[in-house]
């Protein structure tokens, strides 16, 4: 089975609009409307210190990871998503490892993220790659949905 290619979306690439469109479609399917960056994706990706890696499988965007590095020491994983039909095949892990490596090459010392504790598969993946729970943030997503703040230090 072909595991696809991890591609970094470049600001001047000819496929920018199509990839952003595909990512927005996936974003809308995976995340509740109030958690979605769909309306702001293009704007977020044009920021100086942000990046997006996507998994291209036979010309189809099947997953992506969006990250930013607000300082030279710290990065944030903003989004990680894989199409439902492509889950449990290691694509999320591959994307996350690639984002971690990008951060390492920038000499970032700590990566943070937020995750809903009920998203067991995501929690297991983050823990597998060395992320630790820092704290529980009550009402992070909504009044009745909390988040774990997690981090990985190098």
């Amino acid at each position: 089975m072909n595991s696809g290619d991890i591609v970094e979306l470049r600001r001047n690439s000819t496929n920018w609009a199509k990839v952003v469109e595909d990512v927005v479609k996936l974003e809308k399917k995976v995340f509740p409307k109030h958690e979605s960056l769909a309306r702001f994706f293009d704007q977020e990706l044009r920021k100086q210190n942000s990046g997006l890696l996507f998994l291209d499988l036979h010309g189809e965007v099947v997953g992506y990871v969006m990250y930013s590095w607000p300082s030279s020491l710290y990065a944030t994983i903003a989004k990680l998503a894989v199409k439902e039909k492509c889950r449990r095949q290691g694509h999320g892990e591959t994307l996350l490892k690639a984002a971690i490596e990008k951060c390492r090459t920038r000499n970032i010392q700590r990566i943070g993220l937020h995750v809903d504790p009920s998203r067991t598969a995501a929690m297991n993946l983050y823990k597998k790659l060395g992320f630790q729970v820092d704290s529980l943030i009550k009402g992070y997503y909504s009044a009745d949905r909390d988040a774990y703040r997690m981090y990985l230090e190098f």
Side-chain angles (χ1 to χ4, degrees), residues 94-151:
T94 299
L95 282 161
L96 187 56
K97 283 181 175 177
I100 290 168
E101 190 53 38
K102 286 284 184 186
C103 291
R104 277 195 175 123
T105 63
R106 290 183 171 92
N107 296 316
I108 300 228
Q109 296 175 8
R110 183 177 172 119
I111 301 173
L113 57 82
H114 292 89
V115 62
D116 182 330
S118 69
R119 293 189 181 245
T120 309
M123 289 286 303
N124 290 339
L125 172 61
Y126 300 142
K127 287 179 179 178
K128 177 181 178 180
L129 295 184
F131 283 83
Q132 299 174 40
V133 173
D134 180 39
S135 60
L136 177 68
I137 302 171
K138 293 281 189 185
Y140 180 80
Y141 293 108
S142 63
D144 61 341
R145 283 190 60 224
D146 305 333
Y148 280 134
R149 180 172 49 213
M150 299 184 77
Y151 69 93

Side-chain angles (χ1 to χ4, degrees), residues 35-81:
E35 292 173 31
S36 174
L37 289 176
R39 291 182 302 155
F40 310 106
F41 244 97
D42 192 68
Q43 184 179 334
E44 285 294 313
L45 290 172
R46 291 183 188 280
K47 290 182 180 175
Q48 190 66 29
N49 296 338
S50 68
L52 182 121
L53 301 172
F54 64 95
L55 180 62
D56 182 311
L57 186 60
H58 308 298
E60 178 184 5
V61 174
V62 298
Y64 66 93
V65 60
M66 184 177 184
Y67 60 102
S68 63
W69 54 102
S71 81
S72 60
L73 302 176
Y74 182 79
T76 301
I77 302 294
K79 293 288 181 171
L80 173 65

